[in-house]
Amino acid sequence: MIDTTRHTAESLFRRPAPEGSNAAKLQDIRARQILRMRERRPVERQQRLENRTRSANLLTLFARKEPAHGAV
């Protein structure tokens, strides 16, 4: 009973296998696309982090400086 339910649930979210003469080519292309996306994610995450820190550094660099307590 549990295996049947799990199998049914997995089949709902599984992409149907392509049919036809180019099915193997399509599966290879999709597999390569998925691999490239997985490889690209950490690089894009690092770039976003660098952009965030760069913009934060620019904001602190150009922020108005408060006068010192003794210098009125």
Side-chain angles (χ1 to χ4, degrees), residues 51-69:
N51 286 342
R52 218 176 294 137
T53 56
R54 186 179 310 123
S55 65
N57 287 341
L58 287 175
L59 286 175
T60 58
L61 180 66
F62 293 115
R64 286 182 43 155
K65 303 232 177 196
E66 295 289 328
H69 184 67

Side-chain angles (χ1 to χ4, degrees), residues 1 10 15 39 63:
M1 177 82 174
E10 287 175 351
R15 177 176 286 180
E39 290 173 348

Side-chain angles (χ1 to χ4, degrees), residues 4 7 9-10 15 17 19 25-26 30 32-34 42-49 58 60 62-64 66 68 70:
T4 306
H7 175 69
E10 287 175 351
R15 177 176 286 180
E19 299 176 4
K25 287 181 184 179
L26 289 173
R30 285 188 184 133
R32 279 184 274 148
Q33 281 180 332
I34 290 170
V43 173
E44 290 175 346
R45 187 178 299 131
Q46 183 66 30
Q47 288 175 345
R48 286 194 305 270
L49 180 65
L58 287 175
T60 58
F62 293 115
R64 286 182 43 155
E66 295 289 328

Side-chain angles (χ1 to χ4, degrees), residues 15-18 22-41:
R15 177 176 286 180
N22 292 328
K25 287 181 184 179
L26 289 173
Q27 285 179 332
D28 287 344
I29 290 171
R30 285 188 184 133
R32 279 184 274 148
Q33 281 180 332
I34 290 170
L35 184 64
R36 271 184 280 173
M37 284 177 21
R38 286 182 184 161
E39 290 173 348
R40 199 173 51 215
R41 276 186 202 139

